[in-house]
């Protein structure tokens, strides 16, 4: 079978221009051509930037100045958003239910961590390598497990993560095993910005990487490839019948998603200078699922709502009692399944519809 | 120790482990195959059985057999409530919703267990008549585990016999074999599902309680042992009632053997084996394609 | 790569067993270029299964499948589509949560080889969107372009099935009971669409409605219990005693 590895992201400046160009044109563009319909028009404008899409970035920028004491937590929230965003690509778009997405987060974290602990202290290249390592693990494991469906696939994702965690556990000489990986040294970012105890550098670093990750994810989701993923999720049989190489499509997005998750893991390793076995654990896989469910699946922005919501609530609750936290989050999950499918974004949409706003 | 006694020892402990695995997993297999529900929270029923029995025994001095029976019945009854309130809505539905619901239940159960019983494992003290060693002449075996194997075998035989002979069993088998046909010939699937669910949870509680000495009852039980139960079901074949038994024997003995012979590799082998097996036969060893 | 004298579609000794049940049993079948051919047979005869085998949805137990003379038995479903084979499903198989236009765009984009593109926004592909819209206009679906498929009445959805298949610009079109489940008031438009298909497309249609079959098909194949009972022109089939007994007899009793 011919192979179609993911293409590297185009240069940032180019991507930015392409992304922002339609937004700058809003209002001045030509109306619908005669003889076509609003449906055509809607499709053509689907990728234009809406003002609301800038909101997360404004909030993130404002938070830097408003909450200087919480920047370390802020950095962890931002990388959690990236992790959840990577998960949305496979769960929300390709419809792959995975219980082992932490596998890729963990591979990225250990890759970046091992580099930093063994003399490779430059963070940017370390992050790229973390992404590549996780992406490769994603492609390799995906090539094997994506041939299956349903419960078998669910099991296999769980199994891959468990296998990797057990590997990290048993390879204690390299990874530190159950004690975690310590002794990392991360050099200043770009040779200029030291990772400070307040998390200022970490925050900005995570924000910049998240922004690039979001650009890439947004591109992919709105490309014909991304539309095809939605097709696979909606009706795989139909996708095959129109000649779509479903397996290859799923594999490509699985690899991309894994790479993004690995970058998120790398960010965690570099900003906390510590990696433990729980980076690969079931709990992390479960939590990223919960974050996305809370925010809304398959909407690209669910991650931006769910991850901060989860982490801020957790931070508040955990100070009182972490035991209660799990109880309430479990209850919330049950209630979401029963009453509020679509998460916060879904609720918002329904509310908007009820109020008669256009969505 | 010589090779023969190592072999006997592995077989003995492996089979005891397999009994626990099967009792817990068989209900999970049926829920997945028959109701089409990915109930990751199935281990909660096993943990609940263990907690109930141990609390009755350790805290209130209730004799072991009585405590065991009460625990199983209480869990079965409680599961009916959950089935009616929550599970039923999602039968045959979206996998993701099922996963979420069960993760929610797991998290709640972990927190609840920690709240009432603390983070430590619950001690299991078998009654005096099941304690100590059982001398079989050529060798002696731990009495409680021998009891576990025998009682497990008895329950499994009763279960299988019941499925062959009773009306409920026949309906259940018919429904497992052909879901749609069962519905079209007028089997009351709602009642059947509830009863089956209760039976599966009751058996899980039995497995959890009897096996408290092998798989220690602690707050993380439902989460940590989940992977074993899933392995047994996946290897045995979804929806199969007998498949998981042979899968449990395989997993139980293989896991015991490898943890004994190659402790550095830990659970590595069993995950790898399952991975390879599922790739070779996605429908499991005994499932139908 | 295809030889001119070859049939548009051909099967040789095609078999499919489910356990002991032979759902396709040594089927030797030819669909000529530009044919209007109907496959008929009682419920459960294996007609849909035949399409599934031909399109590669399931692998056959034995036998070969040739498309324009080339053996495609080993090819994946997607590759057969690229070689000009398209089908509709007996039960609507569409992207129910997407608009009608998007449903067709998905097919057009595959057809034009744009579907693997990761970076250019789908909305900037004017060629894809315009072609898809034109296809909707031809089938009288343009007014519904923006509506979600699941909001359409069933008969309109059947039309979308056909629109999606046609957007693949096939040489061989397989239609599985295109008018099934559609009230007779609405089936007229489906029949018109099929009648006005470009003559160079080879069409195989599965249909239970005999009036429709005699109206659309110039050749008939009767499938009973996975075997071809007989093949011929409509008058030959109508006069065939075995067909009357097995097929029409069974119809009358149900
Ligand atoms: N996956 C399967 N496993 C076992 N038997 C199957 C399977 N799929 C189809 N069959 C059987 O194969 C036979 C042929 O089915 P098929 O759907 O091809 O018939 P058909 O001619 O299209 O019928 P209809 O006119 O009702 O559409 C039926 O008896 C059906 O029960
Ligand atoms: Mg059919």
């Amino acid at each position: 079978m011919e192979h179609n590895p993911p293409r590297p992201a185009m240069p940032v400046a180019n991507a930015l221009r392409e992304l922002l160009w339609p937004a700058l044109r809003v209002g001045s563009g030509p109306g619908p051509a005669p003889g076509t319909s609003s449906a055509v028009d809607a499709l053509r404008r689907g990728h234009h930037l809406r003002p609301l899409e800038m909101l997360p970035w404004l909030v993130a920028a404002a938070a830097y100045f408003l909450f200087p004491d919480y920047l370390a937590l802020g950095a962890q929230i931002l990388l959690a958003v990236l992790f959840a965003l990577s998960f949305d690509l496979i769960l929300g778009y390709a419809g792959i239910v995975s219980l082992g997405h932490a596998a890729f987060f963990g591979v990225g974290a250990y890759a970046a961590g091992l580099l930093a602990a063994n003399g490779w202290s430059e963070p940017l290249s370390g992050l790229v390598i973390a992404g590549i390592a996780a992406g490769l693990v994603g492609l390799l494991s995906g090539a094997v497990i994506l041939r299956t469906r349903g419960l078998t696939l669910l099991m296999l994702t769980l199994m891959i993560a468990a296998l990797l965690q057990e590997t990290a556990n048993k390879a204690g000489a390299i990874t530190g095993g159950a004690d975690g990986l310590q002794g990392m040294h991360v050099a200043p970012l770009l040779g200029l910005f030291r990772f400070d105890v307040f998390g200022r550098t970490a925050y900005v670093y995570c924000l910049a990487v998240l922004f690039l990750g979001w650009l890439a994810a947004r591109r992919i989701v709105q490309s014909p490839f991304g539309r095809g993923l939605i097709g696979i999720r909606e009706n795989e049989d139909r996708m095959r019948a129109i000649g779509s190489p479903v397996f290859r499509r799923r594999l490509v997005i699985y690899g991309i998603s894994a790479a993004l998750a690995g970058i998120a893991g790398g960010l965690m390793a570099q900003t906390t200078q510590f990696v433990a076995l729980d980076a690969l654990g079931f709990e992390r896989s479960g939590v990223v699922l919960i974050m996305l469910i809370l925010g809304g699946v398959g909407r690209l922005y669910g991650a931006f709502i769910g991850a901060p919501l989860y982490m801020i609530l957790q931070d508040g609750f955990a100070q009182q009692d972490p035991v209660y936290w799990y109880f309430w989050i479990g209850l919330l999950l049950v209630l979401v399944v029963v009453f509020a499918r679509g998460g916060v974004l879904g609720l918002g949409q329904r509310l908007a519809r009820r109020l008669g706003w256009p969505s | 120790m010589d090779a023969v006694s190592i072999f006997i020892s592995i077989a003995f402990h492996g089979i005891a482990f397999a009994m626990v695995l099967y009792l817990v997993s068989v209900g999970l297999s049926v829920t997945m195959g028959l109701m089409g529900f990915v109930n990751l929270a199935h281990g909660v029923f096993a943990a609940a059985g263990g907690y109930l029995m141990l609390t009755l025994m350790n805290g209130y001095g209730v004799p072991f057999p009585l405590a065991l029976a009460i625990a199983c019945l209480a869990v079965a009854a409680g599961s009916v409530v959950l089935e009616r309130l929550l599970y039923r809505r999602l039968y045959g539905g979206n996998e993701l919703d099922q996963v979420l619901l069960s993760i929610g239940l797991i998290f709640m159960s972990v927190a609840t267990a920690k709240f009432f019983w603390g983070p430590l494992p619950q001690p299991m003290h078998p009654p005096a008549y099941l304690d100590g060693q059982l001398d079989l002449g050529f060798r002696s075996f731990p009495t409680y585990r021998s009891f576990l194997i025998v009682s497990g075998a008895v329950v499994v035989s009763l279960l299988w016999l019941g499925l062959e002979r009773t009306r409920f069993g026949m309906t259940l088998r018919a429904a497992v074999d052909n879901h749609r046909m069962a519905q079209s010939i007028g089997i009351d699937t709602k009642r059947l599902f509830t009863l089956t669910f209760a039976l599966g949870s009751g058996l899980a509680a039995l497995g959890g309680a009897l096996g408290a000495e092998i798989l220690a009852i602690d707050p993380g039980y439902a989460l940590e042992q989940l992977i074993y139960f899933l392995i047994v079901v996946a290897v045995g074949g979804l929806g199969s009632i007998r498949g998981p038994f042979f899968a449990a024997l395989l997993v139980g003995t293989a896991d015991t053997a490898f943890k004994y012979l190659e402790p550095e590799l830990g659970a590595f082998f069993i995950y790898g084996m399952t991975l390879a097996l599922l790739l070779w036969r996605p429908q499991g060893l005994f499932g139908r394609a | 790569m295809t030889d001119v004298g070859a049939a548009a579609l051909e099967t040789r000794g095609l078999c499919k067993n489910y356990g002991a049940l032979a759902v396709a049993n040594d089927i030797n079948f030819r669909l000529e270029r530009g044919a209007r051919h109907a496959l008929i047979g009682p419920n459960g005869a294996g007609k849909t299964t035949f399409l599934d085998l031909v399109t590669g949805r399931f692998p056959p137990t034995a036998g070969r499948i040739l498309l324009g003379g080339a053996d495609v038995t080993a090819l994946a479903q997607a590759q057969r589509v690229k070689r000009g084979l398209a089908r509709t499903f007996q039960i609507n198989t569409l992207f129910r949560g997407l608009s009608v236009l998007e449903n067709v765009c998905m097919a057009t984009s595959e057809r034009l080889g744009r579907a693997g593109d990761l970076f250019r926004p789908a909305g900037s592909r004017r060629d894809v969107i315009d072609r898809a819209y034109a296809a909707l206009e031809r089938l009288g679906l343009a007014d519904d372009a923006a509506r979600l498929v699941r909001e359409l009445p069933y008969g309109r959805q059947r039309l979308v099935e056909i629109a999606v298949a046609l957007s693949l610009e096939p040489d061989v079109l397989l239609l599985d009971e295109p008018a099934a489940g559609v009230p007779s008031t609405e089936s007229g438009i489906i029949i018109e669409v099929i009648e006005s298909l470009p003559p160079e497309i080879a069409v195989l249609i599965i249909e239970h409605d005999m009036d429709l079959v005699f109206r659309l098909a110039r050749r008939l194949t009767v499938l009973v219990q996975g075997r071809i009972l007989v093949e011929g022109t409509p008058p030959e089939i109508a006069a065939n005693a075995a067909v009357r007994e097995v097929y029409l007899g069974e119809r009358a009793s149900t």
Side-chain angles (χ1 to χ4, degrees), chain A residues 129-201:
Chain A
I129 295 174
I132 292 174
L136 283 178
V137 173
L139 285 178
L140 279 177
S141 61
V144 179
I145 69 173
L146 288 177
R147 294 175 192 285
T148 64
R149 289 289 178 280
L151 181 75
T152 310
L153 179 55
L154 204 73
M155 282 283 310
L156 289 174
T157 57
L158 197 70
M159 216 59 91
I160 298 270
L163 203 62
L164 286 170
Q165 194 183 26
E166 190 70 5
T167 311
N169 183 25
K170 296 295 171 188
I174 306 167
T175 62
D179 297 333
L181 179 66
Q182 278 149 338
M184 292 167 52
H185 173 70
V186 183
L189 194 58
L190 302 170
L192 295 173
F193 305 102
R194 189 182 290 281
F195 283 92
D196 55 301
V197 284
F198 307 106
R200 279 196 287 259
T201 307

Side-chain angles (χ1 to χ4, degrees), chain A residues 35 37 39-40 43-44 47 219-220 222-225 227-228 231 234-235 237-244 249, chain C residues 57 77-78 81-82 93-97 102 106 110 114-115 117-123 130 133 146 161 168:
Chain A
S37 79
V40 171
L43 271 195
R44 286 217 186 117
H47 57 283
R219 276 266 132 172
I220 291 166
Q222 290 172 345
S223 69
F225 171 84
R227 305 307 297 173
E234 286 266 318
N235 198 330
D237 245 353
R238 167 48 73 190
M239 256 348 240
R240 289 182 198 283
I242 62 172
S244 176
R249 295 274 152 78
Chain C
R57 202 159 164 241
Q77 193 173 1
V81 176
K82 299 277 186 263
T93 302
L94 295 164
F95 311 115
R96 293 172 54 79
E102 278 178 295
M106 211 72 94
E110 286 289 350
R114 300 282 154 77
D117 186 344
L118 268 159
F119 282 97
R120 262 190 75 180
D130 290 347
Y133 191 75
E161 275 272 340
L168 297 169

